[in-house]
Amino acid sequence: MKVEELTVGDSRTDVVVAELSRTQIVMYAGASGDFNPLHTDEVHATEVAGYAGVLAHGQLTMGLTAKLVTQWLDEAELMTFGVRFRSQVWPGDTLTTTATVASVDAGPQGPEAELSLRTTNADGREVVTGYARLRDAVSTDAVSTGIVNTDVVATDAANTREAT
């Protein structure tokens, strides 16, 4: 779907992970290089840190939240993305994300939309809230022919890296 097809109030809700496994958490640790024992070592998580067990990485939860956005708006570019972690995510949790269109505005290269994001566990507890700002994907033809201001594209890419 393209940004130009959105209207304020449109929303989408999907399960982004069903019964998050310890294996998925450890796989994320390997992919990210974050081997903090809170995420991988049951004894450390319980006896040293005082948690009920290992917990998922915040960035894993953030990535799962983004999954809904990129699957729904698969013809758009993510310009900015930010979240607030509200609660821990545990092995066995099923996470559901809702994205709601908060605004659609005219940007320098076409329509831009801001989404509000909310991810909850199976008990309805918020684990992540946040936002995403997107625009319709810029074609390589538009960039090569000069239709698109590439300085803006480069600036947006830099802002995306800083926001994550």
Side-chain angles (χ1 to χ4, degrees), residues 15-29 38-40 42 53-65 67 87-96 119-122 127-128:
V15 172
V16 292
V17 68
E19 296 184 17
L20 180 68
S21 70
R22 289 174 189 254
T23 301
Q24 288 171 300
I25 294 170
V26 171
M27 288 172 64
Y28 181 81
L38 289 176
H39 308 300
T40 58
E42 185 75 20
V54 297
L55 58 140
H57 302 74
Q59 295 297 318
L60 172 57
T61 308
M62 183 173 154
L64 291 167
T65 298
K67 178 180 170 179
S87 186
Q88 287 88 11
V89 173
W90 307 99
D93 277 354
T94 293
L95 302 180
T96 301
T119 299
T120 59
N121 64 18
V127 296
V128 166

Short mmCIF file of all heavy atoms in Angstrom, two decimals, residues 15-29 38-40 42 53-65 67 87-96 119-122 127-128:
data_model
loop_
_atom_site.label_atom_id
_atom_site.label_comp_id
_atom_site.label_asym_id
_atom_site.label_seq_id
_atom_site.Cartn_x
_atom_site.Cartn_y
_atom_site.Cartn_z
N VAL A 15 -0.92 -9.61 14.76
CA VAL A 15 0.00 -10.28 15.68
C VAL A 15 1.36 -10.25 15.01
O VAL A 15 1.52 -10.73 13.89
CB VAL A 15 -0.46 -11.73 15.96
CG1 VAL A 15 0.60 -12.48 16.76
CG2 VAL A 15 -1.80 -11.73 16.70
N VAL A 16 2.35 -9.67 15.69
CA VAL A 16 3.69 -9.58 15.10
C VAL A 16 4.60 -10.71 15.56
O VAL A 16 5.60 -10.99 14.92
CB VAL A 16 4.35 -8.20 15.37
CG1 VAL A 16 3.60 -7.10 14.61
CG2 VAL A 16 4.42 -7.88 16.85
N VAL A 17 4.24 -11.35 16.66
CA VAL A 17 4.92 -12.58 17.08
C VAL A 17 3.97 -13.36 17.98
O VAL A 17 3.33 -12.79 18.86
CB VAL A 17 6.28 -12.33 17.78
CG1 VAL A 17 6.11 -11.65 19.13
CG2 VAL A 17 7.08 -13.62 17.94
N ALA A 18 3.85 -14.65 17.70
CA ALA A 18 3.03 -15.53 18.53
C ALA A 18 3.96 -16.38 19.40
O ALA A 18 4.85 -17.05 18.88
CB ALA A 18 2.16 -16.43 17.65
N GLU A 19 3.78 -16.26 20.69
CA GLU A 19 4.57 -17.03 21.66
C GLU A 19 6.07 -16.90 21.39
O GLU A 19 6.73 -17.87 20.99
CB GLU A 19 4.12 -18.49 21.67
CG GLU A 19 2.69 -18.63 22.14
CD GLU A 19 2.24 -20.10 22.26
OE1 GLU A 19 3.10 -21.00 22.30
OE2 GLU A 19 1.03 -20.30 22.32
N LEU A 20 6.59 -15.72 21.62
CA LEU A 20 8.01 -15.45 21.47
C LEU A 20 8.82 -16.51 22.20
O LEU A 20 8.58 -16.78 23.38
CB LEU A 20 8.34 -14.06 22.01
CG LEU A 20 9.80 -13.62 21.92
CD1 LEU A 20 10.20 -13.40 20.47
CD2 LEU A 20 10.00 -12.35 22.73
N SER A 21 9.76 -17.12 21.52
CA SER A 21 10.53 -18.21 22.13
C SER A 21 11.88 -17.73 22.64
O SER A 21 12.41 -16.72 22.17
CB SER A 21 10.73 -19.34 21.13
OG SER A 21 11.64 -18.94 20.12
N ARG A 22 12.43 -18.47 23.57
CA ARG A 22 13.79 -18.19 24.04
C ARG A 22 14.77 -18.30 22.88
O ARG A 22 15.74 -17.55 22.81
CB ARG A 22 14.18 -19.15 25.16
CG ARG A 22 13.44 -18.89 26.45
CD ARG A 22 13.77 -19.98 27.49
NE ARG A 22 12.90 -19.84 28.62
CZ ARG A 22 13.28 -19.36 29.80
NH1 ARG A 22 14.52 -18.99 29.99
NH2 ARG A 22 12.42 -19.25 30.77
N THR A 23 14.51 -19.24 21.99
CA THR A 23 15.38 -19.40 20.82
C THR A 23 15.38 -18.12 19.99
O THR A 23 16.45 -17.66 19.55
CB THR A 23 14.92 -20.59 19.96
OG1 THR A 23 14.96 -21.78 20.77
CG2 THR A 23 15.79 -20.76 18.73
N GLN A 24 14.22 -17.50 19.78
CA GLN A 24 14.16 -16.25 19.02
C GLN A 24 14.94 -15.15 19.74
O GLN A 24 15.61 -14.34 19.09
CB GLN A 24 12.71 -15.82 18.81
CG GLN A 24 11.96 -16.69 17.81
CD GLN A 24 10.48 -16.37 17.79
OE1 GLN A 24 9.80 -16.50 18.80
NE2 GLN A 24 9.99 -15.96 16.62
N ILE A 25 14.85 -15.11 21.06
CA ILE A 25 15.57 -14.10 21.84
C ILE A 25 17.07 -14.30 21.69
O ILE A 25 17.83 -13.35 21.45
CB ILE A 25 15.12 -14.11 23.31
CG1 ILE A 25 13.66 -13.67 23.41
CG2 ILE A 25 16.04 -13.23 24.17
CD1 ILE A 25 13.03 -13.88 24.79
N VAL A 26 17.53 -15.55 21.79
CA VAL A 26 18.97 -15.83 21.65
C VAL A 26 19.43 -15.58 20.22
O VAL A 26 20.53 -15.06 19.99
CB VAL A 26 19.29 -17.27 22.11
CG1 VAL A 26 20.72 -17.65 21.77
CG2 VAL A 26 19.04 -17.39 23.61
N MET A 27 18.58 -15.91 19.24
CA MET A 27 18.93 -15.61 17.85
C MET A 27 19.09 -14.11 17.65
O MET A 27 20.00 -13.65 16.95
CB MET A 27 17.88 -16.18 16.90
CG MET A 27 17.92 -17.69 16.80
SD MET A 27 16.54 -18.39 15.87
CE MET A 27 16.84 -17.73 14.25
N TYR A 28 18.21 -13.32 18.27
CA TYR A 28 18.34 -11.87 18.17
C TYR A 28 19.63 -11.41 18.84
O TYR A 28 20.32 -10.53 18.33
CB TYR A 28 17.13 -11.14 18.79
CG TYR A 28 17.29 -9.66 18.64
CD1 TYR A 28 16.96 -9.03 17.45
CD2 TYR A 28 17.85 -8.89 19.66
CE1 TYR A 28 17.16 -7.66 17.28
CE2 TYR A 28 18.05 -7.53 19.50
CZ TYR A 28 17.71 -6.92 18.32
OH TYR A 28 17.93 -5.58 18.16
N ALA A 29 19.98 -12.01 19.98
CA ALA A 29 21.24 -11.66 20.65
C ALA A 29 22.41 -11.87 19.70
O ALA A 29 23.31 -11.03 19.59
CB ALA A 29 21.42 -12.48 21.92
N LEU A 38 20.83 -10.72 30.89
CA LEU A 38 19.40 -10.59 31.18
C LEU A 38 18.57 -11.26 30.09
O LEU A 38 17.43 -11.67 30.33
CB LEU A 38 18.98 -9.12 31.27
CG LEU A 38 19.46 -8.34 32.48
CD1 LEU A 38 19.05 -6.88 32.35
CD2 LEU A 38 18.90 -8.94 33.75
N HIS A 39 19.14 -11.37 28.89
CA HIS A 39 18.41 -11.91 27.76
C HIS A 39 18.75 -13.37 27.46
O HIS A 39 18.02 -14.02 26.71
CB HIS A 39 18.70 -11.08 26.50
CG HIS A 39 18.49 -9.62 26.71
ND1 HIS A 39 17.27 -9.08 27.06
CD2 HIS A 39 19.35 -8.57 26.62
CE1 HIS A 39 17.39 -7.76 27.18
NE2 HIS A 39 18.64 -7.43 26.91
N THR A 40 19.84 -13.86 28.03
CA THR A 40 20.31 -15.19 27.63
C THR A 40 20.59 -16.15 28.77
O THR A 40 20.72 -17.34 28.54
CB THR A 40 21.60 -15.05 26.80
OG1 THR A 40 22.59 -14.36 27.58
CG2 THR A 40 21.35 -14.27 25.50
N GLU A 42 19.34 -17.57 32.31
CA GLU A 42 18.23 -17.68 33.28
C GLU A 42 18.70 -17.44 34.72
O GLU A 42 18.04 -16.74 35.49
CB GLU A 42 17.59 -19.07 33.15
CG GLU A 42 16.36 -19.26 34.01
CD GLU A 42 15.13 -18.53 33.46
OE1 GLU A 42 15.10 -18.19 32.28
OE2 GLU A 42 14.20 -18.30 34.25
N GLY A 53 12.61 -14.25 34.95
CA GLY A 53 13.35 -15.05 33.97
C GLY A 53 14.00 -14.14 32.96
O GLY A 53 14.02 -12.92 33.15
N VAL A 54 14.54 -14.71 31.89
CA VAL A 54 15.13 -13.88 30.85
C VAL A 54 14.03 -13.06 30.18
O VAL A 54 12.85 -13.44 30.21
CB VAL A 54 15.89 -14.73 29.80
CG1 VAL A 54 17.05 -15.46 30.43
CG2 VAL A 54 14.97 -15.68 29.07
N LEU A 55 14.42 -11.93 29.63
CA LEU A 55 13.46 -11.07 28.95
C LEU A 55 13.99 -10.68 27.58
O LEU A 55 15.18 -10.76 27.33
CB LEU A 55 13.13 -9.83 29.78
CG LEU A 55 14.29 -8.92 30.17
CD1 LEU A 55 13.86 -7.47 30.05
CD2 LEU A 55 14.71 -9.21 31.61
N ALA A 56 13.07 -10.30 26.70
CA ALA A 56 13.45 -9.94 25.34
C ALA A 56 14.15 -8.59 25.31
O ALA A 56 13.90 -7.72 26.16
CB ALA A 56 12.20 -9.89 24.45
N HIS A 57 15.00 -8.42 24.34
CA HIS A 57 15.67 -7.14 24.10
C HIS A 57 14.63 -6.10 23.71
O HIS A 57 13.71 -6.39 22.93
CB HIS A 57 16.65 -7.26 22.92
CG HIS A 57 17.70 -8.29 23.08
ND1 HIS A 57 17.44 -9.64 22.97
CD2 HIS A 57 19.02 -8.17 23.32
CE1 HIS A 57 18.57 -10.31 23.13
NE2 HIS A 57 19.54 -9.44 23.34
N GLY A 58 14.80 -4.88 24.17
CA GLY A 58 13.92 -3.80 23.75
C GLY A 58 13.96 -3.60 22.25
O GLY A 58 12.93 -3.38 21.60
N GLN A 59 15.15 -3.68 21.67
CA GLN A 59 15.28 -3.48 20.23
C GLN A 59 14.58 -4.59 19.44
O GLN A 59 14.11 -4.35 18.33
CB GLN A 59 16.75 -3.38 19.83
CG GLN A 59 17.44 -2.16 20.40
CD GLN A 59 16.85 -0.85 19.91
OE1 GLN A 59 16.55 -0.70 18.74
NE2 GLN A 59 16.68 0.10 20.81
N LEU A 60 14.51 -5.79 19.99
CA LEU A 60 13.76 -6.86 19.33
C LEU A 60 12.28 -6.50 19.31
O LEU A 60 11.61 -6.61 18.27
CB LEU A 60 13.97 -8.19 20.05
CG LEU A 60 13.11 -9.38 19.60
CD1 LEU A 60 13.29 -9.66 18.11
CD2 LEU A 60 13.43 -10.61 20.44
N THR A 61 11.77 -6.02 20.42
CA THR A 61 10.38 -5.60 20.50
C THR A 61 10.11 -4.44 19.55
O THR A 61 9.08 -4.40 18.86
CB THR A 61 10.02 -5.21 21.95
OG1 THR A 61 10.38 -6.27 22.83
CG2 THR A 61 8.55 -4.91 22.10
N MET A 62 11.06 -3.53 19.46
CA MET A 62 10.94 -2.39 18.54
C MET A 62 10.89 -2.89 17.09
O MET A 62 10.07 -2.43 16.29
CB MET A 62 12.12 -1.46 18.74
CG MET A 62 12.11 -0.21 17.92
SD MET A 62 13.49 0.83 18.47
CE MET A 62 13.79 1.76 16.99
N GLY A 63 11.75 -3.82 16.75
CA GLY A 63 11.76 -4.38 15.40
C GLY A 63 10.48 -5.11 15.06
O GLY A 63 9.97 -5.01 13.93
N LEU A 64 9.94 -5.84 16.03
CA LEU A 64 8.67 -6.54 15.80
C LEU A 64 7.55 -5.53 15.58
O LEU A 64 6.66 -5.76 14.76
CB LEU A 64 8.36 -7.47 16.97
CG LEU A 64 9.28 -8.69 17.08
CD1 LEU A 64 9.10 -9.37 18.43
CD2 LEU A 64 9.07 -9.66 15.94
N THR A 65 7.58 -4.42 16.29
CA THR A 65 6.60 -3.35 16.10
C THR A 65 6.71 -2.79 14.68
O THR A 65 5.69 -2.59 14.00
CB THR A 65 6.79 -2.25 17.16
OG1 THR A 65 6.57 -2.83 18.46
CG2 THR A 65 5.84 -1.09 16.95
N LYS A 67 7.65 -4.27 12.11
CA LYS A 67 7.22 -5.29 11.14
C LYS A 67 5.83 -4.98 10.59
O LYS A 67 5.58 -5.10 9.39
CB LYS A 67 7.25 -6.65 11.83
CG LYS A 67 6.81 -7.82 11.01
CD LYS A 67 6.92 -9.10 11.86
CE LYS A 67 6.28 -10.27 11.20
NZ LYS A 67 6.40 -11.48 12.03
N SER A 87 6.89 -1.84 29.01
CA SER A 87 6.91 -3.01 29.88
C SER A 87 7.80 -4.08 29.26
O SER A 87 8.02 -4.09 28.05
CB SER A 87 5.48 -3.55 30.05
OG SER A 87 5.45 -4.59 31.00
N GLN A 88 8.30 -4.97 30.10
CA GLN A 88 9.15 -6.06 29.60
C GLN A 88 8.34 -7.03 28.74
O GLN A 88 7.14 -7.17 28.91
CB GLN A 88 9.78 -6.85 30.76
CG GLN A 88 10.86 -6.12 31.49
CD GLN A 88 10.32 -5.27 32.62
OE1 GLN A 88 9.16 -5.35 32.99
NE2 GLN A 88 11.17 -4.42 33.16
N VAL A 89 9.06 -7.70 27.86
CA VAL A 89 8.49 -8.75 27.03
C VAL A 89 9.20 -10.04 27.42
O VAL A 89 10.43 -10.09 27.49
CB VAL A 89 8.68 -8.44 25.53
CG1 VAL A 89 8.24 -9.62 24.66
CG2 VAL A 89 7.90 -7.18 25.17
N TRP A 90 8.41 -11.08 27.66
CA TRP A 90 8.92 -12.34 28.18
C TRP A 90 8.78 -13.47 27.16
O TRP A 90 7.90 -13.41 26.29
CB TRP A 90 8.14 -12.72 29.45
CG TRP A 90 8.12 -11.64 30.47
CD1 TRP A 90 7.10 -10.76 30.70
CD2 TRP A 90 9.16 -11.29 31.37
NE1 TRP A 90 7.45 -9.89 31.70
CE2 TRP A 90 8.71 -10.19 32.14
CE3 TRP A 90 10.43 -11.80 31.62
CZ2 TRP A 90 9.47 -9.60 33.12
CZ3 TRP A 90 11.20 -11.20 32.61
CH2 TRP A 90 10.72 -10.12 33.35
N PRO A 91 9.59 -14.50 27.30
CA PRO A 91 9.36 -15.69 26.46
C PRO A 91 7.92 -16.16 26.64
O PRO A 91 7.38 -16.15 27.76
CB PRO A 91 10.35 -16.71 27.01
CG PRO A 91 11.44 -15.89 27.64
CD PRO A 91 10.73 -14.67 28.20
N GLY A 92 7.32 -16.55 25.56
CA GLY A 92 5.92 -16.99 25.59
C GLY A 92 4.92 -15.90 25.27
O GLY A 92 3.75 -16.18 24.98
N ASP A 93 5.36 -14.63 25.32
CA ASP A 93 4.45 -13.53 25.01
C ASP A 93 4.04 -13.54 23.54
O ASP A 93 4.85 -13.81 22.65
CB ASP A 93 5.09 -12.16 25.31
CG ASP A 93 4.98 -11.75 26.76
OD1 ASP A 93 4.32 -12.44 27.54
OD2 ASP A 93 5.59 -10.71 27.11
N THR A 94 2.77 -13.25 23.32
CA THR A 94 2.26 -12.98 21.98
C THR A 94 2.05 -11.48 21.90
O THR A 94 1.40 -10.89 22.77
CB THR A 94 0.95 -13.74 21.73
OG1 THR A 94 1.25 -15.14 21.69
CG2 THR A 94 0.29 -13.33 20.42
N LEU A 95 2.63 -10.86 20.88
CA LEU A 95 2.57 -9.40 20.75
C LEU A 95 1.71 -9.01 19.55
O LEU A 95 1.84 -9.57 18.47
CB LEU A 95 3.96 -8.81 20.58
CG LEU A 95 4.96 -9.11 21.71
CD1 LEU A 95 6.29 -8.45 21.40
CD2 LEU A 95 4.43 -8.67 23.05
N THR A 96 0.84 -8.03 19.80
CA THR A 96 -0.04 -7.51 18.77
C THR A 96 0.23 -6.02 18.63
O THR A 96 0.25 -5.29 19.63
CB THR A 96 -1.51 -7.74 19.16
OG1 THR A 96 -1.71 -9.15 19.33
CG2 THR A 96 -2.46 -7.22 18.09
N THR A 119 1.95 -1.53 20.78
CA THR A 119 2.13 -2.98 20.83
C THR A 119 1.77 -3.46 22.23
O THR A 119 2.22 -2.89 23.23
CB THR A 119 3.58 -3.36 20.47
OG1 THR A 119 3.85 -2.91 19.15
CG2 THR A 119 3.79 -4.87 20.54
N THR A 120 0.95 -4.50 22.27
CA THR A 120 0.49 -5.05 23.55
C THR A 120 0.79 -6.54 23.61
O THR A 120 0.95 -7.20 22.58
CB THR A 120 -1.02 -4.86 23.73
OG1 THR A 120 -1.70 -5.50 22.65
CG2 THR A 120 -1.40 -3.38 23.77
N ASN A 121 0.84 -7.06 24.85
CA ASN A 121 0.97 -8.50 25.01
C ASN A 121 -0.43 -9.12 25.08
O ASN A 121 -1.44 -8.40 24.97
CB ASN A 121 1.83 -8.86 26.23
CG ASN A 121 1.23 -8.41 27.55
OD1 ASN A 121 0.04 -8.13 27.65
ND2 ASN A 121 2.07 -8.35 28.58
N ALA A 122 -0.50 -10.42 25.26
CA ALA A 122 -1.79 -11.11 25.24
C ALA A 122 -2.72 -10.67 26.37
O ALA A 122 -3.94 -10.82 26.27
CB ALA A 122 -1.58 -12.62 25.29
N VAL A 127 3.41 -2.77 25.76
CA VAL A 127 4.84 -3.01 25.91
C VAL A 127 5.65 -1.98 25.13
O VAL A 127 6.79 -1.69 25.49
CB VAL A 127 5.23 -4.45 25.51
CG1 VAL A 127 4.58 -5.45 26.46
CG2 VAL A 127 4.89 -4.77 24.08
N VAL A 128 5.06 -1.41 24.08
CA VAL A 128 5.71 -0.37 23.28
C VAL A 128 4.64 0.59 22.78
O VAL A 128 3.55 0.17 22.38
CB VAL A 128 6.44 -0.99 22.05
CG1 VAL A 128 6.83 0.09 21.04
CG2 VAL A 128 7.68 -1.75 22.47
#
